[in-house]
Amino acid sequence: MDTILGPLYTAVSWIIVQFHSLYSLVFDKNSGWAWGLSIVSLVVLIRICLIPLFVKQIKATRNMQALQPKMKAIQERYKSDKQRQSEEMMKLYKETGTNPLSSCLPILAQSPFFISLYQVLNHIAQGKTVGVIDESLLDSARHAHIFGAPLSVKFMDSASKVEALGATLTDVRVVTVIMIVLMSLSQFYTQRQLMTKNVDLTVKTPFMQQQKMLMYVFPIMFAVFGINFPVGVLVYWLTTNVWTLGQQMFVIRRNPTPGSLAYKQRQERLRAKGKIKEDPAEVEAREAAEVARANRQQPKRQTKSKRQLAGTAGATEKTSPSLEKQEPGDAKSKQAGGSSRTAKSGQRKGQQRPKHPSKK
């Protein structure tokens, strides 16, 4: 590893030493501020160089989201033929100009620098010169502290090793735990922001489930591996996470994915500024829909016992009116029937046939 990445060790150490010389004009050259800010500046320089790859990553992610329905259709169509399925996928990628690996380019490009910084700090922790860091710079970097923790120590280091660098094990573990938590939270929030604001939620695809899973997996990975990282590497990774978060917030606000929540919010901002002209009929329909949604009343939540009582009361109300209606009706019908019979009987009794003249 040292033979292959040897030139990169030299490059990373040279960049750190140049920034250290610059910050030594303001801070003590043996302080953690001079060395810590040198690592932060290394991250910023690397991320600025990776901006073109980040733009490709954004485009590739959007293309993958747009292709998910077609990819799902291909998988369903050629479920039993994996070779044909792969051929159709590659054909789809070629037709749309999409490269699935483009979404991983920033991480892949950043990995050699991360490994090189890890090895440089590991050499410093072991008291070995590396790259352009000679004996004097090595001694200065070994004893540089950030909030009481040397840059070269890890969470799992022994108390004797930490005390040899002029620190206590408690200070080292408190600092490393705080940095690991901040590193994991920044990674989680970055992924969550991507899922909640910059994804078209109207289309349910496996890609969304994959991203949702990564939202929880990455922070756990950072927390597990972070205990084996030197403090200087934690500074590097926390800085790059914060940079990614800020860069993503800027991109989502200025150029969101169509159909996402961020896209709707951007359209509303442009509409409020008068930069979007809409059809009056569409505006009227949207306002009517908003008014109807505001006036709509949601049913109140009730417990199971209340729902059962309400159902029993409703059934009783439905039954009792019918009985009440039937009773007056039956009485009236009976009265009417009785009066009609009485009238008929009275009519028969009161009316008499005229006598025949011969009988007079």
Side-chain angles (χ1 to χ4, degrees):
M1 181 68 72
D2 291 347
T3 305
I4 298 174
L5 296 179
L8 202 54
Y9 294 172
T10 303
V12 168
S13 61
W14 183 84
I15 294 172
I16 292 177
V17 168
Q18 298 307 311
F19 279 119
H20 176 260
S21 301
L22 177 63
Y23 290 118
S24 296
L25 300 175
V26 181
F27 304 100
D28 181 10
K29 65 178 182 179
N30 297 325
S31 66
W33 287 105
W35 287 102
L37 289 175
S38 300
I39 296 174
V40 172
S41 300
L42 171 67
V43 176
V44 174
L45 179 63
I46 293 173
R47 294 309 300 264
I48 290 174
C49 295
L50 293 178
I51 286 178
L53 294 180
F54 180 77
V55 173
K56 288 185 178 181
Q57 179 192 25
I58 293 295
K59 292 181 178 179
T61 303
R62 289 185 179 178
N63 290 338
M64 289 296 293
Q65 291 177 0
L67 291 179
Q68 286 301 309
K70 295 182 180 180
M71 294 171 62
K72 190 174 182 180
I74 291 174
Q75 291 174 353
E76 292 293 333
R77 185 175 182 180
Y78 303 103
K79 187 183 298 184
S80 58
D81 192 349
K82 297 297 182 181
Q83 182 177 357
R84 181 66 184 278
Q85 185 181 119
S86 302
E87 293 175 355
E88 293 295 327
M89 289 287 189
M90 296 304 296
K91 183 179 178 181
L92 181 63
Y93 293 149
K94 187 176 180 180
E95 290 176 352
T96 56
T98 303
N99 185 3
L101 296 178
S102 297
S103 58
C104 303
L105 283 178
I107 297 177
L108 294 176
Q110 199 176 177
S111 297
F113 295 96
F114 173 76
I115 296 173
S116 300
L117 178 63
Y118 179 86
Q119 291 298 331
V120 167
L121 292 174
N122 194 35
H123 279 71
I124 292 174
Q126 295 175 4
K128 299 178 181 178
T129 58
V130 57
V132 298
I133 298 179
D134 54 16
E135 292 291 341
S136 61
L137 291 173
L138 176 63
D139 185 66
S140 175
R142 276 175 59 84
H143 292 85
H145 293 188
I146 293 181
F147 303 112
L151 289 172
S152 57
V153 300
K154 308 173 187 176
F155 179 87
M156 301 300 294
D157 284 342
S158 62
S160 58
K161 181 178 180 180
V162 173
E163 290 174 358
L165 296 174
T168 62
L169 187 61
T170 302
D171 291 341
V172 170
R173 292 192 172 179
V174 169
V175 171
T176 52
V177 166
I178 291 174
M179 295 185 71
I180 289 171
V181 170
L182 292 176
M183 187 174 62
S184 300
L185 288 177
S186 59
Q187 178 66 35
F188 175 80
Y189 187 78
T190 300
Q191 193 68 22
R192 186 177 183 275
Q193 179 181 236
L194 180 65
M195 286 296 301
T196 57
K197 289 190 174 182
N198 204 39
V199 173
D200 187 0
L201 299 177
T202 59
V203 181
K204 303 295 183 181
T205 60
F207 179 76
M208 293 177 60
Q209 298 297 328
Q210 180 183 1
Q211 293 296 316
K212 188 176 180 179
M213 181 182 66
L214 293 177
M215 180 173 65
Y216 296 99
V217 171
F218 277 159
I220 295 174
M221 290 176 59
F222 278 116
V224 171
F225 293 118
I227 60 176
N228 294 314
F229 290 161
V231 174
V233 174
L234 294 178
V235 172
Y236 173 93
W237 208 250
L238 178 60
T239 306
T240 194
N241 281 359
V242 173
W243 177 280
T244 302
L245 177 61
Q247 186 174 249
Q248 184 172 272
M249 290 176 66
F250 176 81
V251 172
I252 290 176
R253 181 176 176 84
R254 299 295 298 272
N255 193 17
T257 302
S260 63
L261 177 61
Y263 181 81
K264 295 178 182 178
Q265 293 175 349
R266 179 175 178 272
Q267 294 299 100
E268 291 176 359
R269 290 195 301 268
L270 295 176
R271 194 179 298 114
K273 294 179 180 179
K275 295 183 179 181
I276 297 180
K277 295 182 179 180
E278 294 182 320
D279 187 5
E282 293 181 359
V283 176
E284 185 177 356
R286 186 175 62 253
E287 291 177 353
E290 291 177 356
V291 171
R293 190 182 301 109
N295 294 333
R296 185 176 58 189
Q297 295 182 353
Q298 296 292 338
K300 296 181 179 180
R301 289 188 175 182
Q302 295 181 345
T303 60
K304 186 176 180 181
S305 58
K306 290 184 178 180
R307 289 197 299 269
Q308 291 177 351
L309 289 174
T312 308
T316 307
E317 289 178 358
K318 288 181 180 179
T319 308
S320 57
S322 60
L323 294 174
E324 291 176 358
K325 290 180 181 179
Q326 288 178 2
E327 288 175 359
D330 292 342
K332 290 179 181 180
S333 59
K334 290 178 181 179
Q335 291 175 1
S339 60
S340 60
R341 291 194 191 101
T342 306
K344 288 181 181 179
S345 60
Q347 185 179 4
R348 289 177 183 174
K349 290 179 180 180
Q351 289 181 358
Q352 295 180 0
R353 293 181 182 179
K355 293 182 179 181
H356 196 273
S358 60
K359 293 183 178 180
K360 290 180 180 179

